Amino acid sequence: MSSGVVQEKVASALLGALNGAKKKGQLKTETWPQVSLDAPKRPEWGDLASTVAMSLAASEQRAPHDIAQIIIDNLTQREQLFDRVEIVKPGFLNLTVKPAVWHEVLREIEMQGSAYGRAEMGQRHRVLVEYVSANPTGPLHVGHGRGAAVGQAVANMLKAIGYDVVSEYYINDAGRQMKLLGTSVYARYEELSNRPVEFPSEGYHGAYITALAERVKQQLGSELTGRAATEVEERCRTFAYQELLSLIREDLKSFGIEFESWFSEASLANSGAVQRVLDELKSKHFLFEQEGAWWFRSSAFGDEKDRVVQKQDGEYTYLASDIAYHQDKLRRGYDLLIDIWGADHHGYIPRMQAVVQAYGYPKDHLQVVLVQMVSLLRGGEKVEMSKRAGEFITMREVIDEVGADAAKFFFLMRDSDSHLDFDLELAKQRSSDNPVYYVQYAHARIASLWRVAVARGIVCPLPSETDLKVLTDPDELGLIRKLSAYPSVLQGSARAYEPHRMTYYLQQVAGLLHTFYNKHRILPPAADRDLLAVMPEGLVSGEGLQKEGLAPERTAARLALMSGVQQVLKNGLGVLGISAPEQM
RNA sequence: GCGCCCGUAGCUCAGUCGGAUAGAGCAUCAGCCUUCUAAGCUGAGGGUCGCUGGUUCGAUUCCAGCCGGGCGCACCA
């Protein structure tokens, strides 16, 4: 578990102490519990705190405090690693790590660069992440946008910790919805030629349907005149389908999302895969016939009841192609399948996991990440949407209005399984109230330092060529500690499929950066001499400058720190698919 | 009725494996630019962690019941 250079060092020192104590007969526990190390809430509790003594209390049958003392007594590296080691109340072990040890974080970041935070825990296991997968019956709406952002982030995070990830879009290009699309466009098409036909009762009402009909007329009109209605309808359907699918691709592309794989539902039926899979399940007795329909015995795998896969009229249900689709994924040999669904499909999870189990895999071979609804607000007022009437805000409109970066950040700010209020006005604001700008601005501010430094001819040595020992200020060390947590934040987010932990963390890093930037100087002031001459004795900021001295070594060390902050912001934003601008 | 999710500051929400005096942003109020980007910063107030029990050294976290909200319970997709 690589959770940062310092954490690793400290953890192994504690483990060493435990083993040392055991050798001496001071401790007797067979296997040590996880040596926990977290950042305590209060500064006086040190840099890192461990609860290991408390969790050993039961198996050692002694007071946590005594165990903690034993650990301390056996800490061979105490002098090298710690400034302070304390035992507090129930048995917390509070550790204050030497600045020089913290400084290694900056070396590590420099060395790893864009790879800082990455890990190999995925061991190149193959993962398929399926997301968006919207019916090509209309443009993508806001909800799809959130699904897209979450899917991309989950895929990227897993890549970053060593999985081989393929992202896939499942095109629902078969079945009733496609038929309805066809008849809807056909109805509008006939209307345009003053031959009104009955509009399908559950058809699609959006204005884009009429627009599609107009384009059918324009491009295919002469060819279609005099043709049979069924043929015209068929052409309307394929035309609309192709147009909408390419629209979806374009929208995703301008959202910065590209899929490695597009999988057609229709191809499953056409290739006979659906029937083949049903036959397989029949032979395994997971299918049975009742009242003229075929049922999947999903209740055998924890679903609350069995499900129809082939109706009385011989047609397959949606579930049938979904079974075939997931069987296809399994057949492709992935070690893990992740589906990202709208939360209204949650009732579907047990039956899909039943499918996975019917094929002999454990049910958690399929992980489903649910994405809850997005409520759009504008200046605090709810934007009303009605999908039925075809009035919904499209993903495209949101991207055009607030930009892809802001949209993604907002989509990822909350746990995907909880409702999201997305205020369009806020997302556009260029102020610290807007978390996207807040984070991006932190990055741009640092980028600006390099430009100014270059312009003034200030040398910017690499952290590895810089003496970092002047970095002892609590603000400096606080920033470094936060940077050291990045690998474990990334790994935690990835393993829980929870990108919102990343946005949260990035806001914290940006906050520390802005505070630091405001409080401390990094480069010497432009008009250093004039300033000091003009400034009256005792002026607060002047005093600060003189006190800190801003000797070249300090500037160099702080630049090294800034470089680390910038790298972490860039890496974190990158994983989320959000840009890290050099200038704003 | 059954199943899943949720209930933390006025609002929107974090809180990982059960840990110390409960965290952030917004809003409110009071301040901070002769400077490297004020697209920023500092400070203050604000809480029975829905309720009641249980598990234990310790519960916002785990368990049970209840209350309140959302979603799902098709031979639809």
Side-chain angles (χ1 to χ4, degrees), chain A residues 291-432:
Chain A
E291 294 164 16
W294 282 92
W295 299 68
F296 173 46
R297 204 183 295 282
S298 54
S299 64
F301 302 102
D303 194 10
E304 59 186 9
K305 55 183 166 188
D306 299 324
R307 311 287 173 176
V308 171
V309 290
Q310 192 170 17
K311 298 187 256 180
Q312 284 180 338
D313 63 9
E315 289 230 10
Y316 300 127
T317 63
Y318 180 82
L319 178 62
S321 31
D322 243 7
I323 293 174
Y325 175 44
H326 281 80
Q327 191 275 335
D328 190 277
K329 290 187 190 179
L330 293 171
R331 209 174 46 152
R332 284 184 266 160
Y334 293 102
D335 300 300
L336 176 65
L337 305 179
I338 297 177
D339 285 6
I340 296 185
W341 294 350
D344 53 342
H345 289 71
H346 73 256
Y348 219 78
I349 297 172
R351 77 191 78 165
M352 284 321 296
Q353 288 185 328
V355 172
V356 168
Q357 290 172 87
Y359 275 95
Y361 296 84
K363 85 175 194 192
D364 60 7
H365 197 81
L366 169 68
Q367 297 281 342
V368 179
V369 176
L370 296 176
V371 179
Q372 277 286 1
M373 269 182 45
V374 178
S375 300
L376 278 184
L377 307 177
R378 198 181 286 283
E381 294 291 309
K382 192 155 190 165
V383 179
E384 293 301 332
M385 282 183 280
S386 148
K387 194 174 180 194
R388 218 185 67 77
E391 299 161 10
F392 50 87
I393 308 280
T394 62
M395 187 178 96
R396 159 71 59 183
E397 287 172 280
V398 173
I399 300 171
D400 286 349
E401 184 167 347
V402 308
D405 283 345
K408 273 187 195 167
F409 197 96
F410 271 79
F411 285 141
L412 298 174
M413 263 197 318
R414 306 281 178 236
D415 185 346
S416 73
D417 197 18
S418 64
H419 283 253
L420 174 71
D421 281 339
F422 183 166
D423 196 315
L424 294 165
E425 290 305 322
L426 178 60
K428 275 191 293 186
Q429 258 177 48
R430 296 147 67 89
S431 76
S432 60

Side-chain angles (χ1 to χ4, degrees), chain A residues 521-564:
Chain A
R521 278 243 134 218
I522 293 143
L523 302 172
D528 207 347
R529 273 164 302 144
D530 308 346
L531 244 175
L532 292 175
V534 168
M535 218 168 321
E537 281 300 311
L539 198 75
V540 178
S541 55
E543 229 178 14
L545 289 184
Q546 282 175 319
K547 215 184 282 171
E548 288 195 338
L550 268 172
E553 314 84 75
R554 187 176 291 277
T555 288
R558 286 192 173 163
L559 284 172
L561 172 59
M562 290 301 110
S563 162

Side-chain angles (χ1 to χ4, degrees), chain A residues 420-570:
Chain A
L420 174 71
D421 281 339
F422 183 166
D423 196 315
L424 294 165
E425 290 305 322
L426 178 60
K428 275 191 293 186
Q429 258 177 48
R430 296 147 67 89
S431 76
S432 60
D433 296 352
N434 180 351
V436 194
Y437 280 90
Y438 189 74
V439 173
Q440 288 184 319
Y441 179 45
H443 183 271
R445 253 186 162 172
I446 298 171
S448 162
L449 287 174
W450 309 130
R451 288 190 296 270
V452 173
V454 167
R456 293 215 213 129
I458 294 168
V459 210
C460 303
L462 294 169
S464 52
E465 298 161 348
T466 307
D467 190 352
L468 301 175
K469 71 168 181 291
V470 292
L471 296 178
T472 52
D473 187 282
D475 295 328
E476 293 164 337
L477 293 172
L479 217 28
I480 295 176
R481 263 184 274 135
K482 185 56 82 176
L483 300 183
S484 82
Y486 176 69
S488 61
V489 171
L490 172 59
Q491 286 160 37
S493 299
R495 277 143 57 99
Y497 318 124
E498 290 182 357
H500 73 278
R501 298 192 199 183
M502 294 279 291
T503 53
Y504 195 76
Y505 170 79
L506 290 173
Q507 289 179 81
Q508 291 181 332
V509 174
L512 290 177
L513 182 276
H514 288 308
T515 297
F516 186 86
Y517 186 95
N518 206 259
K519 192 166 161 190
H520 303 282
R521 278 243 134 218
I522 293 143
L523 302 172
D528 207 347
R529 273 164 302 144
D530 308 346
L531 244 175
L532 292 175
V534 168
M535 218 168 321
E537 281 300 311
L539 198 75
V540 178
S541 55
E543 229 178 14
L545 289 184
Q546 282 175 319
K547 215 184 282 171
E548 288 195 338
L550 268 172
E553 314 84 75
R554 187 176 291 277
T555 288
R558 286 192 173 163
L559 284 172
L561 172 59
M562 290 301 110
S563 162
V565 175
Q566 189 181 25
Q567 186 72 60
V568 167
L569 288 171
K570 191 174 180 178

